[in-house]
C-alpha cells in the first residue's frame, strides 16, 4: 500500500463552522505533513509531525489545529476560518524527516470557506 | 517562493516534442526533487537528484543539477498528452529539514 488517503475530497464550510480534515497512510512512514496550496501557486508547508510529535509549525494561525493520534493518522481541525483560507489542503508522508526525504502526497481536500 | 523559481511559468508543445523546464534556487541544498501535479490533485514524486550528482535519468525524464549555478533542469522527451500537468522542483536547504517547492511550470502537451 503506497497511498496516502485524504477525506473529504471537497468541503464547504461557513466561517463559524468547526470541521476536520483527515489523512491516513499505512506505509510505516514516521513523518507526516500538512501543506496548503492556493490556485496556481506552489504548496506551502504548514505543519510537520515526526514520530507523532509536532516538529514544525510554519507560523500558521491558531484557527488551524493539527493532531496526530497515531503514526498512521493525521488530522487538521478547522475553526472560525476566513474566506482567504479557501485552498487545496494536501497531506503528505515520508519515511523519515530531515535531509530531503521523498514525499508521498494524498489527493487533497478542496476547501471553500463562505 | 521560499527557495526555488521555475522557468518558464507555462509551456505549450506538440505531442512528440521534448519539454524542458528549469529551476533556480537560492541556497546550498542536500538534494533537489521534481514533482508532477495534475490539475487540482496531489503531487507525485518523479525523481530525486543529490547535491553530488550532475545528471539522472528515469524513463523519459532527464534531470541535471548544476550546484555552482544553483539550477536544475527537467527534460521530458517524446512528450505525450498525458504529460500535461504542473511540474514543481523542491529543495531542502543544507542543514535544514523541510522541503520547499518552487513556483512551478504548467506544461500543456497538445495531441
Amino acid at each position: 500500500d503506497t497511498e496516502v488517503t485524504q477525506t473529504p475530497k471537497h468541503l464547504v464550510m461557513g466561517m463559524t463552522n468547526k470541521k476536520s480534515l483527515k489523512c491516513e497512510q499505512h506505509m510505516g512512514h514516521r513523518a507526516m505533513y500538512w501543506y496548503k496550496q492556493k490556485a496556481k501557486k506552489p504548496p506551502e508547508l504548514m505543519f510537520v509531525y515526526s514520530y507523532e510529535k509536532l516538529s514544525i509549525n510554519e507560523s500558521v494561525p491558531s484557527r488551524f489545529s493539527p493532531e496526530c493520534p497515531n503514526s498512521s493518522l493525521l488530522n487538521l481541525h478547522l475553526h472560525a476560518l476566513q474566506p482567504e483560507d479557501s485552498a487545496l489542503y494536501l497531506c503528505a508522508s515520508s519515511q523519515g524527516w530531515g535531509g530531503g526525504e521523498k514525499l508521498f502526497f494524498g489527493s487533497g481536500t478542496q476547501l471553500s470557506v463562505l | 517562493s521560499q527557495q526555488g523559481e521555475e522557468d518558464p511559468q507555462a509551456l505549450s508543445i506538440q505531442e512528440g516534442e521534448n519539454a524542458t523546464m528549469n529551476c533556480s534556487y537560492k541556497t546550498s541544498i542536500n538534494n533537489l526533487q521534481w514533482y508532477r501535479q495534475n490539475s487540482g490533485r496531489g503531487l507525485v514524486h518523479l525523481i530525486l537528484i543529490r547535491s553530488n550528482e550532475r545528471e539522472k535519468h528515469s524513463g523519459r525524464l532527464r534531470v541535471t543539477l548544476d550546484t555552482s549555478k544553483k539550477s536544475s533542469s527537467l527534460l521530458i522527451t517524446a512528450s505525450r498528452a498525458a504529460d500535461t500537468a504542473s511540474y514543481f522542483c523542491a529543495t531542502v536547504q543544507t542543514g535544514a529539514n523541510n522541503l520547499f517547492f518552487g513556483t512551478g511550470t504548467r506544461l500543456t502537451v497538445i495531441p
Side-chain angles (χ1 to χ4, degrees), chain A:
Chain A
D1 184 357
T2 58
E3 279 194 356
V4 175
T5 304
Q6 285 188 246
T7 55
K9 292 196 185 309
H10 302 275
L11 180 62
V12 179
M13 60 187 290
M15 290 190 282
T16 58
N17 292 156
K18 284 185 183 180
K19 297 286 185 184
S20 297
L21 309 184
K22 297 187 182 302
C23 176
E24 191 168 3
Q25 57 88 14
H26 295 288
M27 294 178 278
H29 288 175
R30 303 316 301 261
M32 296 186 77
Y33 310 76
W34 283 113
Y35 280 84
K36 172 183 176 180
Q37 186 180 26
K38 301 283 269 186
K40 299 186 180 180
K41 297 290 186 183
E44 294 179 352
L45 183 64
M46 300 174 72
F47 302 104
V48 180
Y49 273 84
S50 177
Y51 289 85
E52 300 157 51
K53 289 193 168 63
L54 183 63
S55 299
I56 293 286
N57 174 342
E58 288 284 338
S59 303
V60 179
S62 59
R63 57 185 184 268
F64 295 91
S65 174
E67 179 196 19
C68 189
N70 60 54
S71 60
S72 299
L73 293 174
L74 185 66
N75 298 322
L76 186 62
H77 302 298
L78 314 173
H79 174 54
L81 295 194
Q82 304 296 308
E84 60 265 28
D85 296 321
S86 298
L88 181 67
Y89 288 84
L90 294 161
C91 174
S93 70
S94 62
Q95 197 159 18
W97 177 53
E101 299 271 348
K102 166 183 169 182
L103 298 187
F104 291 76
F105 280 86
S107 55
T109 294
Q110 187 64 56
L111 174 68
S112 296
V113 182
L114 304 178

Side-chain angles (χ1 to χ4, degrees), chain B residues 29-69:
Chain B
I29 58 171
N30 289 334
N31 66 48
L32 186 143
Q33 302 177 37
W34 286 89
Y35 287 80
R36 185 187 74 219
Q37 184 177 34
N38 289 86
S39 180
R41 310 302 294 170
L43 285 79
V44 175
H45 181 268
L46 295 176
I47 198 164
L48 181 154
I49 186 166
R50 301 193 187 286
S51 58
N52 61 354
E53 296 175 309
R54 291 297 165 258
E55 187 170 315
K56 205 158 181 183
H57 296 255
S58 176
R60 293 184 296 113
L61 306 180
R62 174 179 166 249
V63 168
T64 62
L65 179 64
D66 187 336
T67 52
S68 66
K69 294 181 180 177

